[in-house]
Amino acid sequence: MTTEHELPLIQVQHLRKCFDDLEVLKDITVDIHKGDVVCVIGPSGSGKSTFLRCLNRLEEPTAGKIFFEDVDITDRKTDIDRHRQKMGMVFQQFNLFPHMTIMKNLTIAPMKLQRRSREEAEAQAMELLKRVGLGDRSGAYPSQLSGGQKQRIAIVRALCMNPEVMLFDEPTSALDPEMVGEVLNVMRDLAHEKMTMVVVTHEMGFAREVASRVMFMDDGYFLEENSPEQFFSAPKNDRLKNFLSKVL
């Protein structure tokens, strides 16, 4: 449990994001503590992915501040690349380098950005591959893997940087239904190991089972947040009630 005086790992204060005249995020304020598993749900176009991408400044916020480990990462003077190394990101599409083996995909960033030796990087990558059931695929190329395998590799690639937090942007939405489970199982294991996670997802069962809290976003606002138990069984917001009636 976090103590009251322990600083949140991520503090978002009055975050806004506009694309030209379209305001996608409207005054978002939220704290994420170490060990939190926050699931963000809501209809398409509500701002969920934009919120996630603002957390590591893949999208530049229009206004507001984001503190990560008590450093203002929206400050232009902040070395954002250094902080991104501590924030693993997993996208809908796997973004693996097609011309590199799985092992090369996993070790290139730790070796280049963290100056780790090949031996150390490969040993860690191999250990993580075994953990996700892909220890025999290190010499394969992405084109030789299924979608579920590629997404598990994408998660391992992020973990190879030893991140403080993992950001997941609808990691199962591009997968065939029978492959979804194998990816969620890896994420479930991470949650049990107390990895801090922010997950944009449509997988309500996963959110209910694994999240420490669930947040509902619509029209650029967080309209409700609660424990999974309260969120799904006793929603207060009418828009959330309507949304859950359609997806559950």
Side-chain angles (χ1 to χ4, degrees), residues 45-56:
S46 57
K48 306 183 302 292
S49 292
T50 302
F51 166 70
L52 201 70
R53 292 168 69 86
C54 282
L55 291 182
N56 63 0

Side-chain angles (χ1 to χ4, degrees), residues 139-173:
Y141 286 86
S143 61
Q144 298 169 301
L145 303 181
S146 70
Q149 289 174 324
K150 286 180 199 169
Q151 195 59 297
R152 281 184 280 162
I153 296 294
I155 294 172
V156 167
R157 178 180 55 186
L159 292 173
C160 280
M161 297 295 284
N162 299 320
E164 295 291 322
V165 59
M166 289 283 284
L167 309 175
F168 292 89
D169 188 7
E170 296 188 25
T172 58
S173 64

